Amino acid sequence: MNYRIIILSLFLTYTTIGVSQCVINELSVTVGECDANGKFYVTINFNHAGTSDRFKLQGNGVNYGLYNYNTLPLKIGPLLADCITNYEFVIRDELNESCVAFKNPGKKCCADQCSIAFDSTHVGNCQDGKYDFYFNLKHNAANIGFDLFNNGQFYGYYKYSQLPLNLENLPSSTTETYNKIVVCANDNVKCCDTLLVLNPCICTIYKVRGQVIECNAESETFSIKIDFKHNLGADSFQIGGNSVNYGKFAYNDLPITINNLPFSPDIDYEFLIVDNEEAVCFASYHLGVVTSCNFECYILNVKATPTECVDGLFYVDIQFEDKNTSLKGFLIRGNGRIYDTFEYGEPYYRVGPLEGNCQTLYEFVVKDLELTECSSFTHFTEPVCCGKLCEMADLVVTEFCENNNLVAFDINFEHNRTSGNFGLKINNQFIGTYPYASLPIKITSINFDLPLVVITIFDKEDESCRLVKEYEFECYQQPDCNIYDMTVKASACNENQKFYAILKFKITNPTSEKFVIKINGIPFDTLTYGKDVYEIGPLSGDCTTLYKFLIYDLNNSACAEDFSFTEKICCQGACKISDPVVSYTDCMDGRFNLNLNFKYINTLTKFRIKINGVVKGPYLYTQLPVVIENLEQNTAYEVIIWDIDKEVCRLTFSIPALQCTSGTEENLSSGIMMVNDNQSILLRMDEKWLPSAIVVSNLAGSNISVLPAHTENVIDISAFPAGLYFLQIRYEKLVLTRKFIKY
């Protein structure tokens, strides 16, 4: 059987030939309006340098053709606005396949009156690859519920009456910087909203920005200040680039400055940021070639778009373009006031609320906080008018109480210039639609939380005409304290052979601010309510104690819940599964088999494998390697291996999507092919590259290995420490550089 070793590391690949580099960037795709046939056009434009004469345009499986760069901007269409097609456009140079840019403008709808949008979102902390997600929705849909999709998979159906929702233990992506959450009106894929949530479960470096400072034309040097956002990871990071290690920095010191960089027409400045513990946690910033001090700040094309009026008020969304701005951010001011300060990098910025008084002509000035001469402005050509068509006031609630239980209540209020009907919500739960003529109305179904409620009344023809009142019912009996949904999980053992108990529970109507926890009948601690997760310990993993946990309200011991482990926790001799080695067979009808092997220590007899949620096994460790059959090409796979008797002993890794036509080899136009199996690098090259030299260096720029090149080369990297490395092929004045990671 013909096996090929696949690469489980993430490749960062770029090619530099001489001093000329093909670049396509700042791709913009402007979506036009719909025509009478439900179709539209898009206008495509971008910057380019070092390219050939022509480029290819593709997307959604369609080849739109070959065009000269001098035809830009390019208008494409007509395209069908079917509310389903997720349009994407790929620009690729005709002669340099690696010179590419991509844009995904998304779906286009023409006649869909349904609307749904996220509102008031909050993301909780990660726990075991899952997190809590709180959100509300603004919606205008004929049905009563919506569908939710998590990272491309259907997650569940919910009613609008359940909003706002707090989804607990929402599975997070193990590879992507953002989790993609989509809501659609039930069974209506034309009426959706998408939210990209920063992944709380993986180390991420993102929103990298750089600012050239202290540029000196006489010494032909400059400095650059770099700032970025980060999530998880270590306490520090390294910055390198162009075969230079600029040093190690603490995240707390951001932004950092790299000083005294030389002007050079031969250096295409790129800065690679790598977390000091997570080698695959990285990002880059491309500055380009610097030969002068021409870094003038620009803010231009400021646009201001007002939102719909609510209660006589509205917001304004500000958009603009910027170049060479500072890292401190900017402010937006106008009409004698500063609206707010912001950080660069968002698609738009919302200011307000503003009064739609039909008189004020609003203006908006965008001004850099550090480079104060860098600014621009726009203004409305006419005032915004939010005049109300109707009025509501003087809400009165009359309670009907029996034995201290609320059985019904009446609602009445004053109204003027209203339509025929109004809607009623209590605690954001829709109660019903009623004619104004039937006031006062009696409510007999008490299916919302008491005693404090928010009553919302809105006109059915003009929902901006509304009356909101917070009301506390006097006829109310406090329900009993209740602790429920208690779970306790054991953490991984530490070096002292101890572990922590990860405690979660829910409580309603506590009689105190604190609760007591007992472990095996002995009081252990008194803690304060309010956390999602509690870490209790450290506790001894002595392989003999069977732990039982009891929690109860500090002032009410009857308000209690317990949880017992079914197995003893054993921390003696840490179980470990590591170093996966994966190979795959040749494809048959677009499918292939995986051959899986790995190292293990202090395990028992059997293990299981889960691949994209499908469980395989059990297998004996003595059966290794094992074969996973009938996998599909072009599909990324998440693989989890765990010991059956020690489930905390597990290994998780990802296999990238494979294309059967090309395998794991990457054939460059220059005739170079490189395969990395984490033990050695196989490097093949055409004879036209000979004679040449092969140089392997680390992030610090130190050469580890220098050897003459042959048409087939095997470079031993088995003894390399884990980290990021560079492999260069030097031929006359040409240099080809590849990056690789050793795990």
Side-chain angles (χ1 to χ4, degrees):
M1 185 174 293
N2 180 20
Y3 287 97
R4 302 175 187 171
I5 301 299
I6 73 167
I7 302 165
L8 297 180
S9 59
L10 175 64
F11 284 98
L12 300 176
T13 306
Y14 63 87
T15 304
T16 304
I17 301 177
V19 297
S20 178
Q21 183 178 9
C22 177
V23 175
I24 298 175
N25 59 17
E26 296 186 12
L27 172 61
S28 68
V29 178
T30 304
V31 179
E33 298 296 329
C34 294
D35 62 20
N37 298 317
K39 295 184 178 182
F40 68 103
Y41 287 82
V42 296
T43 302
I44 294 174
N45 204 355
F46 53 88
N47 293 336
H48 58 94
T51 57
S52 66
D53 293 332
R54 299 191 299 178
F55 64 93
K56 291 181 285 187
L57 174 61
Q58 298 170 304
N60 302 95
V62 178
N63 184 356
Y64 294 104
L66 196 60
Y67 302 90
N68 291 324
Y69 284 98
N70 59 18
T71 61
L72 291 170
L74 182 66
K75 190 174 183 179
I76 299 296
L79 305 174
L80 181 62
D82 58 4
C83 304
I84 299 175
T85 303
N86 187 18
Y87 282 102
E88 60 185 18
F89 298 93
V90 180
I91 309 295
R92 193 181 303 273
D93 188 85
E94 181 186 19
L95 300 182
N96 191 339
E97 291 288 319
S98 63
C99 188
V100 66
F102 171 85
K103 198 77 170 184
N104 174 217
K107 301 174 183 178
K108 174 71 172 177
C109 295
C110 284
D112 191 1
Q113 300 302 315
C114 174
S115 66
I116 189 170
F118 283 101
D119 185 40
S120 303
T121 62
H122 176 73
V123 178
N125 295 327
C126 181
Q127 179 70 32
D128 296 331
K130 299 179 180 180
Y131 64 102
D132 293 349
F133 175 58
Y134 171 92
F135 69 99
N136 205 346
L137 295 176
K138 293 182 178 178
H139 56 90
N140 178 23
N143 49 37
I144 62 172
F146 61 96
D147 302 318
L148 186 138
F149 302 84
N150 182 39
N151 292 324
Q153 302 293 323
F154 176 75
Y155 189 79
Y157 166 80
Y158 304 90
K159 293 183 178 180
Y160 293 116
S161 59
Q162 295 176 262
L163 291 170
L165 271 175
N166 187 27
L167 301 179
E168 297 182 341
N169 297 322
L170 188 65
S172 177
S173 170
T174 59
T175 58
E176 299 297 328
T177 302
Y178 292 90
N179 287 305
K180 183 178 181 181
I181 302 174
V182 178
V183 289
C184 297
N186 182 233
D187 295 331
N188 183 0
V189 295
K190 298 180 180 180
C191 183
C192 301
D193 193 25
T194 299
L195 183 69
L196 295 179
V197 174
L198 182 66
N199 194 331
C201 296
I202 63 173
C203 175
T204 307
I205 296 173
Y206 63 106
K207 290 190 177 179
V208 183
R209 290 183 60 85
Q211 180 187 358
V212 173
I213 60 174
E214 300 174 0
C215 189
N216 190 319
E218 294 183 359
S219 63
E220 295 188 341
T221 61
F222 69 100
S223 300
I224 185 169
K225 186 186 294 184
I226 295 177
D227 200 4
F228 55 85
K229 303 294 184 181
H230 56 93
N231 178 47
L232 301 179
D235 59 354
S236 59
F237 60 94
Q238 292 194 59
I239 294 186
N242 305 98
S243 299
V244 177
N245 183 4
Y246 296 113
K248 178 180 178 181
F249 305 87
Y251 286 109
N252 289 337
D253 292 337
L254 285 169
I256 59 95
T257 301
I258 300 173
N259 295 307
N260 298 320
L261 298 173
F263 291 3
S264 173
D266 300 326
I267 301 177
D268 187 15
Y269 278 105
E270 179 186 33
F271 301 90
L272 182 67
I273 305 161
V274 183
D275 186 88
N276 269 325
E277 290 186 2
E278 297 286 341
V280 295
C281 182
F282 61 87
S284 63
Y285 175 74
H286 181 255
L287 176 63
V289 176
V290 179
T291 57
S292 69
C293 289
N294 184 19
F295 289 96
E296 186 177 355
C297 174
Y298 293 98
I299 296 175
L300 64 162
N301 295 333
V302 180
K303 297 179 181 179
T305 306
T307 65
E308 294 182 357
C309 294
V310 176
D311 295 332
L313 302 174
F314 69 101
Y315 290 83
V316 177
D317 293 337
I318 305 292
Q319 295 175 285
F320 59 88
E321 301 174 16
D322 66 279
K323 187 175 182 180
N324 299 326
T325 49
S326 75
L327 301 185
K328 287 188 176 180
F330 63 96
L331 61 83
I332 300 178
R333 63 174 174 82
N335 299 91
R337 59 176 285 197
I338 295 177
Y339 295 117
D340 209 341
T341 59
F342 305 86
E343 293 182 351
Y344 291 102
E346 300 298 332
Y348 68 91
Y349 308 88
R350 178 160 290 184
V351 297
L354 306 177
E355 184 179 3
N357 57 14
C358 309
Q359 297 178 355
T360 304
L361 197 61
Y362 286 99
E363 61 184 16
F364 307 93
V365 179
V366 180
K367 186 175 184 178
D368 192 281
L369 287 173
E370 180 179 356
L371 308 173
T372 55
E373 298 298 319
C374 184
S375 67
S376 187
F377 75 99
T378 188
H379 63 86
F380 289 156
T381 58
E382 58 185 22
V384 175
C385 195
C386 293
K388 289 185 177 181
L389 298 178
C390 70
E391 295 178 348
M392 299 179 184
D394 300 332
L395 177 65
V396 176
V397 177
T398 304
E399 303 179 28
F400 298 94
C401 189
E402 294 181 2
N403 300 322
N404 207 30
N405 287 319
L406 184 68
V407 294
F409 60 94
D410 283 353
I411 288 180
N412 202 358
F413 58 92
E414 298 295 328
H415 58 94
N416 187 27
R417 296 191 301 276
T418 54
S419 66
N421 300 291
F422 66 90
L424 171 65
K425 287 184 178 180
I426 299 180
N427 287 350
N428 210 35
Q429 176 182 334
F430 184 72
I431 305 301
T433 300
Y434 309 90
Y436 289 99
S438 65
L439 286 170
I441 60 168
K442 185 178 293 292
I443 306 299
T444 58
S445 178
I446 316 296
N447 56 354
F448 39 81
D449 293 335
L450 297 175
L452 189 64
V453 299
V454 176
I455 300 173
T456 303
I457 297 167
F458 55 93
D459 190 87
K460 291 298 292 184
E461 292 187 6
D462 179 11
E463 292 194 9
S464 66
C465 177
R466 57 179 54 210
L467 176 62
V468 180
K469 180 175 182 178
E470 188 176 87
Y471 180 81
E472 186 170 4
F473 284 94
E474 297 179 0
C475 182
Y476 172 72
Q477 185 173 356
Q478 178 74 26
D480 294 335
C481 172
N482 184 27
I483 297 176
Y484 60 102
D485 288 353
M486 176 179 173
T487 62
V488 185
K489 295 182 179 179
S491 72
C493 296
N494 61 25
E495 59 186 9
N496 298 320
Q497 298 185 355
K498 293 189 176 183
F499 71 97
Y500 284 83
I502 310 302
L503 170 67
K504 296 178 68 175
F505 65 92
K506 296 178 181 178
I507 183 167
T508 55
N509 307 305
T511 61
S512 168
E513 294 182 351
K514 298 185 177 182
F515 66 95
V516 178
I517 179 168
K518 285 186 176 182
I519 301 179
N520 290 350
I522 300 174
F524 184 83
D525 204 351
T526 300
L527 302 171
T528 302
Y529 293 118
K531 291 185 178 181
D532 294 331
V533 177
Y534 296 86
E535 290 189 357
I536 310 300
L539 305 175
S540 176
D542 54 13
C543 308
T544 59
T545 304
L546 188 61
Y547 284 96
K548 181 176 181 179
F549 305 86
L550 172 68
I551 59 175
Y552 58 87
D553 189 87
L554 182 62
N555 292 341
N556 183 2
S557 60
C559 181
E561 180 75 330
D562 61 16
F563 187 95
S564 298
F565 284 164
T566 58
E567 297 181 357
K568 301 169 183 176
I569 306 300
C570 189
C571 292
Q572 298 176 1
C575 171
K576 185 178 181 182
I577 298 174
S578 63
D579 299 334
V581 177
V582 180
S583 60
Y584 70 97
T585 63
D586 289 335
C587 288
M588 293 289 292
D589 298 327
R591 294 179 178 270
F592 60 93
N593 298 341
L594 283 181
N595 190 63
L596 174 62
N597 204 347
F598 54 86
K599 295 181 181 179
Y600 55 93
I601 185 172
N602 293 325
T603 56
L604 291 180
T605 58
K606 297 180 181 180
F607 65 93
R608 283 194 171 95
I609 300 173
K610 182 185 289 186
I611 181 163
N612 279 13
V614 179
V615 177
K616 308 286 186 179
Y619 304 99
L620 295 171
Y621 287 97
T622 55
Q623 291 178 284
L624 287 169
V626 297
V627 176
I628 308 298
E629 297 180 337
N630 203 29
L631 301 182
E632 295 183 355
Q633 66 167 332
N634 298 325
T635 300
Y637 287 95
E638 180 188 62
V639 180
I640 304 173
I641 306 168
W642 73 93
D643 189 277
I644 289 180
D645 296 303
K646 299 180 179 180
E647 291 198 9
V648 295
C649 180
R650 58 179 56 212
L651 170 68
T652 301
F653 61 92
S654 297
I655 298 174
L658 303 177
Q659 293 185 355
C660 288
T661 56
S662 60
T664 62
E665 301 168 354
E666 182 176 8
N667 295 296
L668 303 178
S669 60
S670 56
I672 301 297
M673 187 273 287
M674 185 177 86
V675 177
N676 175 7
D677 68 359
N678 209 42
Q679 297 298 311
S680 64
I681 290 180
L682 173 62
L683 184 67
R684 293 193 179 104
M685 60 181 68
D686 292 348
E687 290 186 357
K688 66 180 181 180
W689 279 89
L690 301 179
S692 59
I694 301 173
V695 179
V696 180
S697 59
N698 59 20
L699 188 62
S702 302
N703 291 343
I704 300 174
S705 177
V706 180
L707 63 156
H710 304 282
T711 56
E712 183 165 315
N713 309 269
V714 179
I715 304 169
D716 184 10
I717 63 171
S718 60
F720 284 21
L724 182 66
Y725 295 87
F726 302 87
L727 186 148
Q728 290 185 335
I729 302 169
R730 299 177 179 176
Y731 174 69
E732 296 180 352
K733 294 183 179 180
L734 303 181
V735 177
L736 184 144
T737 304
R738 300 289 297 273
K739 303 175 187 176
F740 66 89
I741 294 176
K742 173 66 168 62
Y743 283 94

